[in-house]
Amino acid sequence: MATVSDVQFIRARSDKREYRRVVLPNALQAMLISDSEIDKAAAVMGVSVGAFNDPDGINGLAHFLEHMLFYASEKYPEEDSYSKYITEHGGSTNASTSSERTNYYFDVNVDNLREALDRFAQFFVKPLMSADAVSREINAVDSEHKKNLLSDGSRLNQLQKHLSSKDHPYHKFTTGSLETLDTGPKEKGLDIREELLRFYSENYSANLMQLTVYGKESLDSLQSLVESLFSNVRNTEKRWFKCPGNPCTEEYLQILVKMIPITEGDYLRIVWPTTSGILHYKEAPHRYLAHLIGHEGEGSIFYILKQLGWAMSLMAGEGSDSKEYSFFSISIRLTDEGHNHMEDIVGIVFNYIALLNKLGIHKWIFDEMAAISEIDFNYQDKFQPLNYALFINAMMPLFPPDEWLVGESLPSKFDPILIQKMLHELSPDKVRIFWESKKFEGVTDLAEPWYGTPYSVQKITSDTIKQWMENAPDADLHLPEPNIFIPTDFTLHAPEEEVKFPKIIRTSSFSTLWHKPDRKFLVPKALVIVDFHCPLANYSPEAEVLTSLFVALLRDYLNDYAYDAQIASLSYGIYSTTTGFQVVVTGYNDKMRLLIDAIVMQIAQFEVKPNRFAVFKETYSKDFENFKFSKPCSQATYYLNLMLNDQSWPLIENLEALSSLNADDLSSFVPNLLSRTCLECFMAGNIEAKEAELIVTSIEEILFKSPKSISKPLLPSQYLPMRVVMLESGLKCLYRTKGLNPKDENSAIVQYIQIHQEEALLNVQLELFSLIASQPAFHQLRSVEQLGYITSLSSREDSGIRGLQVIIQSTVKDPDNIDARIDAFFASFESKIYELDDEEYKRNVKALIDLKLEKFKNLWEESWYYWGEIISGTLNFDRFESEVEVLRELKKEDFKNFFNQYIKVDAPKRKTLSVKVFGSNHSAEYEKSSKERDPPQTYLVEDIFSFRRSRPLYGSLKSGPCQIQVMTKS
């Protein structure tokens, strides 16, 4: 029998879930969560064994075991049957390896938890790792490593690890590769499968495992289930791994590291090894310091650097998954001018730290931080069961059981001495500075061994940094003012009667207002969306770039004032769209009006600041240039988007347009952009109809009706719909191109099958096929054929046009070969579709029905779903219920006929477009394919825009500006 702990969990006021901690006789700890309202169950197994446990000479073995464990077990020996079961029952599964821990997890429809958990448990009781599966999955690990070779994040992370004590496990390369898991062990006479089994046997022990199970069953039922399935997990009483403290010896402190990145853009990262924040989670010294050092309001480091034109962004904080050490880091994206002032920037940072030392530790700052944390905790949104189970599981090895629901989210003990002590750790004596720039090409003299990152190291003394501090420009550095956005009024404004769907409560020649008050989630939060439809926003590459710059500068100008709102969980975003731009405000509704008014006034009073325009132009130029360093699968998806979506512009033309633009161009453009516009507004949550109308009225008064207004209502003829290219039935279109980065070995393909425009029956048939085929496609193309680590089959939607896409990125096969293998999969899958028995068919239909009937977990899920229906013009607010009715009536023969008509390789209505990006490993195949004749019924796309112009377009689902659309749909 398990031991039940009488734990009084600290919980949020609104949390109605039931919890129980149990310890099985084999010492496995379990956290049980019972919630009758969920429609997905979830489980997470955390094993306190991670990459730091890798044996010497076999780097990546812990990560490799994570890949292998889900293949099969003695009780369920069929390879991949676990993943198949999970997928067929509406779920998902994954795993991850960190330094000291490995996580395995899944979610599944609530009624299938028992069998899913049984299959899951067997991996920790008696897993099977066949020699064939081991030899295949090594390639997947190697593919994952090669995918990361050109990732600046991965390269920086490994360089930071490389510049640490060789005796510390932090120093290790932990992903694994063909070299470390195959050729290297073979040279030493080692059998990697035997090493894998030995590692599992010696390290995976029940006393090192923490299980979280989240279901709708009672706690007693969940406990009985866990006892029956996990009591046989072996307990070898393995001792917990204890990390040997700080990995950075004196040799690796006070260093300035210059490294050359893959992408354009200069970054400065100032890092200190520190005491782990987990040890002082209630006092939260790291959070206190990160709050001040990472602040973006007046008087902050970032505010000063921005005024000087030296920085585009700044982030500060602590990060570690160990109790034994941590790192506090400041990451700054530099402008070109900022690169030239690196020493001044470091000086300003240390001057601010000196200021904090001088001013002392302030209780009011801690109290603000604690108050916001307490509000967020008590009014936390419910989210997906799997995500909640993952959070709880991560807390289990780190905190006392009564604080598993809280973790470090509730700072409660003000300890100025401890904060001061932590502040002293951010000293010149312990600093590590990593400076990334392509400007260092030709001046570095070293290379990191795993990723080949060029770098150089020089020592910097405390006296040097003191000199930088003295030479830094005078700056008005000071503490932030008290935060005016912290909410104090949490009154709920639920309507007397439930409003099931959004409805229009106000229209004018300027705007339409949709409103959806909340009676379901009962939180003092709201969402406000104001979508500006501006016909001049995207009529040319220049217009698209200028609109993006306008939006970026709006955010930039607001940041000094609105940063406090984001700290107080009142978030805002301003985004360019294909038809204009959009303002989104989410969070506590108490002070929301303050923020909305500030945003609208900034739009109305917008003026271009030439110095800020210059730095954003510089940054955008680099970002456009950096697309060539994106993953080949991202490049393939980009080309597909460009071919399908009318009125979209290529990045190369955007870059060319940007190069000739100046601040005066933007000054001239913005009044034209806003001269004719229509606002489509959606307000949901804890916001009354009267308040929603007042907000829209205020916006109209400022933008359309004041003496200085430049905006007029949009004319019906000016509406620009989003339209999609219609492919031809029975024809396969091909587009081949070389990868943009000649150093990237990876190739990629997106095979897209266009099916139909929005229609309920075809919608559910497509989704059902995607559900049935996604896991077998992954298993065959990735696990069996090992074509590439990135492999997926999924449905796709473009402005109401639906289809299917298969994405594969590979170093081992060229895109033409992969395209043929995808077709071969569809050909072999015919028999699977034809042989579907009634039971399997009904099981998959039920899984899709369960997915569609999943309840929204929080206000945001519900609201964004409704907004998607509004902005697309479908207005199908009861889509899930209506499509479920269609699914219930869908006959198996009709589904097979859908496959025969639209998806089968030789289907008469099959409309295919394969986009192929050839990496450097396959340059010869690219040259060869360009000279060969393509097979019949194939059309080679040589010019994207000629192709796009030659094809008909689907009609738009949204036929006019907001007020016209309403009339049409009513």
Side-chain angles (χ1 to χ4, degrees):
M1 285 288 291
T3 303
V4 178
S5 302
D6 184 19
V7 179
Q8 299 301 311
F9 294 101
I10 301 170
R11 61 170 69 202
R13 294 173 195 161
S14 58
D15 189 355
K16 298 181 177 64
R17 291 167 286 217
E18 295 181 317
Y19 302 90
R20 180 181 294 172
R21 174 189 181 249
V22 299
V23 181
L24 301 185
N26 57 3
L28 188 151
Q29 281 194 93
M31 176 64 154
L32 312 177
I33 309 170
S34 174
D35 184 352
S36 61
E37 296 181 353
I38 61 170
D39 33 39
K40 274 276 177 69
V44 182
M45 178 69 90
V47 185
S48 294
V49 175
F52 282 2
N53 295 83
D54 281 349
D56 290 340
I58 314 181
N59 299 60
L61 193 62
H63 179 217
F64 185 34
L65 176 59
E66 171 232 299
H67 275 239
M68 286 303 309
L69 202 62
F70 280 172
Y71 259 80
S73 65
E74 191 173 287
K75 184 175 180 179
Y76 298 100
E78 183 184 349
E79 187 176 297
D80 222 37
S81 63
Y82 160 74
S83 298
K84 182 173 183 289
Y85 182 86
I86 295 294
T87 304
E88 286 182 348
H89 294 88
S92 61
T93 177
N94 213 330
S96 62
T97 305
S98 60
S99 300
E100 299 181 24
R101 208 156 183 264
T102 306
N103 277 346
Y104 303 89
Y105 47 91
F106 72 87
D107 65 359
V108 73
N109 291 335
V110 282
D111 296 334
N112 305 109
L113 175 62
R114 176 176 291 275
E115 187 168 351
L117 200 62
D118 182 27
R119 294 169 181 270
F120 183 71
Q122 295 308 307
F123 299 128
F124 307 98
V125 178
K126 288 189 176 179
L128 293 181
M129 293 178 244
S130 70
D132 178 58
V134 167
S135 65
R136 282 187 277 116
E137 197 60 24
I138 285 176
N139 293 316
V141 174
D142 188 61
S143 179
E144 183 177 357
H145 169 57
K146 286 179 177 174
K147 170 183 71 71
N148 296 334
L149 282 174
L150 299 179
S151 160
D152 280 330
S154 298
R155 293 161 71 89
L156 172 67
N157 180 51
Q158 192 60 45
L159 179 57
Q160 289 178 323
K161 294 166 71 170
H162 180 65
L163 296 174
S164 68
S165 171
K166 295 176 177 58
D167 298 325
H168 197 287
Y170 175 76
H171 181 80
K172 294 180 178 180
F173 165 67
T174 56
T175 305
S177 65
L178 208 60
E179 177 188 345
T180 67
L181 297 172
D182 185 54
T183 56
K186 283 178 179 175
E187 288 171 359
K188 299 172 186 174
L190 300 176
D191 182 317
I192 194 62
R193 180 173 178 270
E194 291 301 319
E195 295 301 317
L196 198 65
L197 294 171
R198 180 181 294 111
F199 183 84
Y200 176 86
S201 177
E202 292 180 355
N203 290 282
Y204 274 46
S205 175
N207 68 306
L208 299 183
M209 296 182 183
Q210 305 87 35
L211 175 68
T212 306
V213 179
Y214 190 165
K216 71 173 183 180
E217 296 84 353
S218 69
L219 289 175
D220 287 342
S221 297
L222 290 174
Q223 180 177 333
S224 176
L225 182 61
V226 167
E227 287 175 340
S228 66
L229 297 180
F230 290 90
S231 290
N232 289 332
V233 177
R234 199 170 48 103
N235 180 16
T236 63
E237 298 185 357
K238 173 77 176 178
R239 294 182 63 182
W240 284 58
F241 175 82
K242 184 170 176 59
C243 188
N246 184 354
C248 297
T249 53
E250 191 172 327
E251 177 186 356
Y252 299 106
L253 301 175
Q254 291 188 298
I255 56 173
L256 171 62
V257 182
K258 296 177 181 177
M259 63 170 283
I260 302 173
I262 297 294
T263 57
E264 297 289 342
D266 298 353
Y267 287 86
L268 186 65
R269 307 180 200 271
I270 306 170
V271 183
W272 296 265
T274 65
T275 305
S276 175
I278 296 169
L279 300 176
H280 306 292
Y281 59 96
K282 291 185 178 179
E283 297 84 358
H286 288 91
R287 286 184 64 183
Y288 178 97
L289 296 176
H291 168 66
L292 295 176
I293 294 171
H295 207 281
E296 298 182 17
E298 288 190 22
S300 67
I301 297 171
F302 180 63
Y303 180 82
I304 299 300
L305 296 181
K306 195 170 80 165
Q307 282 192 321
L308 292 167
W310 294 351
M312 292 302 299
S313 65
L314 182 149
M315 293 184 292
E318 177 233 9
S320 176
D321 53 6
S322 174
K323 288 185 175 181
E324 303 304 319
Y325 71 92
S326 187
F327 292 98
F328 189 97
S329 62
I330 304 170
S331 178
I332 305 169
R333 182 172 185 179
L334 305 174
T335 63
D336 286 344
E337 189 62 24
H339 176 88
N340 296 331
H341 289 272
M342 182 278 294
E343 296 176 3
D344 291 329
I345 292 171
V346 175
I348 288 171
V349 167
F350 276 102
N351 281 336
Y352 190 79
I353 292 171
L355 176 70
L356 296 182
N357 273 303
K358 177 183 176 182
L359 296 177
I361 309 304
H362 292 255
K363 189 172 187 300
W364 73 266
I365 295 175
F366 182 88
D367 289 344
E368 263 196 4
M369 190 176 72
I372 294 168
S373 297
E374 185 176 2
I375 292 167
D376 286 346
F377 179 72
N378 281 311
Y379 293 104
Q380 62 185 270
D381 297 308
K382 215 171 180 182
F383 43 99
Q384 293 290 342
L386 178 55
N387 292 336
Y388 190 61
L390 281 164
F391 168 76
I392 298 296
N393 193 266
M395 301 302 104
M396 291 175 70
L398 299 175
F399 302 101
D402 63 325
E403 298 181 15
W404 283 353
L405 313 186
V406 182
E408 55 187 340
S409 61
L410 278 183
S412 56
K413 292 182 179 178
F414 178 59
D415 188 338
I417 295 174
L418 184 60
I419 297 173
Q420 192 72 54
K421 180 182 176 184
M422 198 65 66
L423 183 59
H424 287 157
E425 293 192 13
L426 308 185
S427 72
D429 297 337
K430 294 184 177 181
V431 76
R432 290 154 54 92
I433 301 174
F434 292 83
W435 190 8
E436 303 168 52
S437 177
K438 286 200 164 185
K439 299 177 181 70
F440 297 137
E441 288 177 347
V443 299
T444 58
D445 56 355
L446 298 167
E448 188 279 320
W450 296 105
Y451 289 80
T453 306
Y455 74 99
S456 62
V457 182
Q458 66 186 75
K459 277 288 191 176
I460 48 170
T461 65
S462 299
D463 287 341
T464 300
I465 290 178
K466 184 179 179 182
Q467 191 66 50
W468 293 354
M469 293 168 67
E470 291 173 355
N471 293 341
D474 290 336
D476 184 20
L477 295 165
H478 58 78
L479 297 178
E481 296 295 322
N483 192 335
I484 63 171
F485 288 101
I486 299 175
T488 55
D489 183 357
F490 305 101
T491 305
L492 296 178
H493 303 293
E496 292 183 7
E497 296 181 5
E498 179 160 1
V499 179
K500 190 174 182 183
F501 299 128
K503 64 180 183 180
I504 297 165
I505 61 171
R506 183 184 185 278
T507 60
S508 73
S509 58
F510 309 107
S511 68
T512 296
L513 171 58
W514 293 84
H515 182 235
K516 172 62 176 73
D518 171 52
R519 271 183 53 124
K520 185 187 302 181
F521 304 108
L522 300 176
V523 288
K525 301 177 183 180
L527 173 140
V528 171
I529 300 174
V530 182
D531 187 74
F532 289 72
H533 189 97
C534 306
L536 298 181
N538 197 37
Y539 73 89
S540 69
E542 288 84 0
E544 184 175 64
V545 171
L546 286 166
T547 302
S548 296
L549 286 167
F550 164 63
V551 165
L553 287 170
L554 274 178
R555 291 194 300 261
D556 185 62
Y557 298 167
L558 283 161
N559 192 59
D560 306 340
Y561 173 76
Y563 181 75
D564 272 345
Q566 305 213 54
I567 291 173
S569 298
L570 178 56
S571 300
Y572 75 99
I574 310 174
Y575 314 99
S576 56
T577 67
T578 53
T579 56
F581 66 99
Q582 193 173 100
V583 174
V584 180
V585 183
T586 62
Y588 298 105
N589 58 279
D590 180 28
K591 307 292 175 66
M592 186 174 276
R593 184 67 183 274
L594 277 176
L595 182 56
I596 293 171
D597 288 347
I599 293 170
V600 175
M601 288 303 297
Q602 191 67 66
I603 294 171
Q605 299 172 1
F606 181 82
E607 292 182 1
V608 179
K609 300 175 183 176
N611 61 329
R612 296 308 292 164
F613 175 89
V615 296
F616 273 95
K617 178 180 176 179
E618 173 194 307
T619 302
Y620 269 44
S621 178
K622 290 176 181 176
D623 290 344
F624 286 148
E625 290 278 6
N626 282 336
F627 180 72
K628 66 186 177 188
F629 301 113
S630 62
K631 291 183 292 189
C633 62
S634 298
Q635 295 177 31
T637 302
Y638 158 76
Y639 291 124
L640 178 61
N641 293 338
L642 202 56
M643 297 172 82
L644 291 178
N645 294 294
D646 193 39
Q647 288 297 111
S648 57
W649 309 104
L651 288 174
I652 191 168
E653 291 183 8
N654 286 349
L655 180 61
E656 184 180 337
L658 177 65
S659 66
S660 61
L661 295 174
N662 57 44
D664 290 339
D665 295 320
L666 184 59
S667 296
S668 301
F669 174 77
V670 172
N672 289 328
L673 174 73
L674 299 175
S675 63
R676 291 282 184 179
T677 186
C678 167
L679 311 184
E680 188 145 29
C681 307
F682 176 47
M683 303 192 189
N686 194 42
I687 187 165
E688 295 177 294
K690 186 167 83 170
E691 174 65 12
E693 291 186 41
L694 285 172
I695 291 172
V696 174
T697 301
S698 174
I699 294 172
E700 287 187 356
E701 290 289 338
I702 294 170
L703 295 181
F704 295 97
K705 299 177 182 179
S706 74
K708 295 183 179 180
S709 295
I710 59 171
S711 299
K712 294 180 181 179
L714 189 70
L715 299 172
S717 61
Q718 291 181 298
Y719 180 74
L720 295 177
M722 294 179 287
R723 302 185 65 186
V724 176
V725 164
M726 183 186 296
L727 301 180
E728 184 175 333
S729 295
L731 184 67
K732 180 164 187 172
C733 299
L734 304 176
Y735 178 70
R736 296 188 182 96
T737 187
K738 288 184 177 180
L740 297 173
N741 180 6
K743 294 182 180 179
D744 196 333
E745 298 176 351
N746 291 278
S747 293
I749 180 173
V750 179
Q751 187 185 106
Y752 169 68
I753 304 173
Q754 192 176 73
I755 308 291
H756 69 291
Q757 188 168 34
E758 175 71 23
E759 193 264 298
L761 177 59
L762 288 171
N763 287 355
V764 299
Q765 289 176 320
L766 173 61
E767 290 170 7
L768 183 59
F769 178 80
S770 179
L771 177 72
I772 293 172
S774 60
Q775 190 276 333
F778 181 85
H779 178 65
Q780 178 62 34
L781 300 172
R782 181 193 177 280
S783 300
V784 176
E785 298 188 31
Q786 288 292 320
L787 295 179
Y789 178 76
I790 296 176
T791 299
S792 68
L793 179 152
S794 62
S795 57
R796 173 189 169 110
E797 190 263 339
D798 298 87
S799 301
I801 311 306
R802 299 186 178 228
L804 193 75
Q805 65 179 13
V806 180
I807 300 175
I808 298 178
Q809 180 171 297
S810 178
T811 56
V812 295
K813 298 290 183 182
D814 70 88
D816 284 336
N817 189 300
I818 298 173
D819 200 20
R821 296 314 307 153
I822 294 171
D823 284 345
F825 166 76
F826 282 121
S828 67
F829 203 64
E830 287 181 36
S831 59
K832 165 74 175 174
I833 296 297
Y834 298 154
E835 294 165 10
L836 266 179
D837 59 38
D838 290 344
E839 181 182 347
E840 188 174 4
Y841 174 74
K842 289 176 182 177
R843 186 168 65 242
N844 281 287
V845 169
K846 182 182 182 302
L848 184 54
I849 287 173
D850 288 344
L851 282 170
K852 288 185 174 294
L853 293 181
E854 275 189 41
K855 295 184 286 287
F856 295 117
K857 304 300 181 293
N858 54 57
L859 175 66
W860 319 121
E861 280 189 16
E862 179 186 78
S863 300
W864 282 111
Y865 164 71
Y866 289 141
W867 174 246
E869 293 291 331
I870 292 168
I871 199 65
S872 68
T874 50
L875 305 181
N876 192 2
F877 298 128
D878 62 347
R879 170 185 301 278
F880 297 136
E881 292 83 356
S882 61
E883 289 185 347
V884 163
E885 290 307 309
V886 175
L887 263 175
R888 293 191 205 279
E889 299 298 319
L890 181 63
K891 301 293 189 289
K892 185 172 67 173
E893 291 308 312
D894 292 333
F895 173 66
K896 290 180 179 178
N897 186 56
F898 164 79
F899 174 79
N900 288 333
Q901 289 292 311
Y902 291 95
I903 296 177
K904 194 170 72 168
V905 172
D906 58 352
K909 294 183 180 180
R910 196 180 208 250
K911 297 181 285 188
T912 311
L913 172 55
S914 288
V915 179
K916 306 177 182 184
V917 174
F918 287 73
S920 62
N921 271 12
H922 305 118
S923 53
E925 288 87 345
Y926 174 78
E927 298 299 332
K928 181 181 177 183
S929 67
S930 63
K931 297 173 184 176
E932 293 179 344
R933 292 176 62 88
D934 290 303
Q937 292 302 106
T938 300
Y939 176 77
L940 180 63
V941 178
E942 296 182 346
D943 178 79
I944 289 176
F945 305 102
S946 296
F947 169 77
R948 204 167 75 181
R949 286 189 293 268
S950 71
R951 300 301 309 151
L953 302 174
Y954 283 97
S956 172
L957 293 172
K958 191 161 186 171
S959 55
C962 31
Q963 68 270 24
I964 302 298
Q965 173 75 3
V966 172
M967 293 168 59
T968 304
K969 282 288 178 182
S970 57

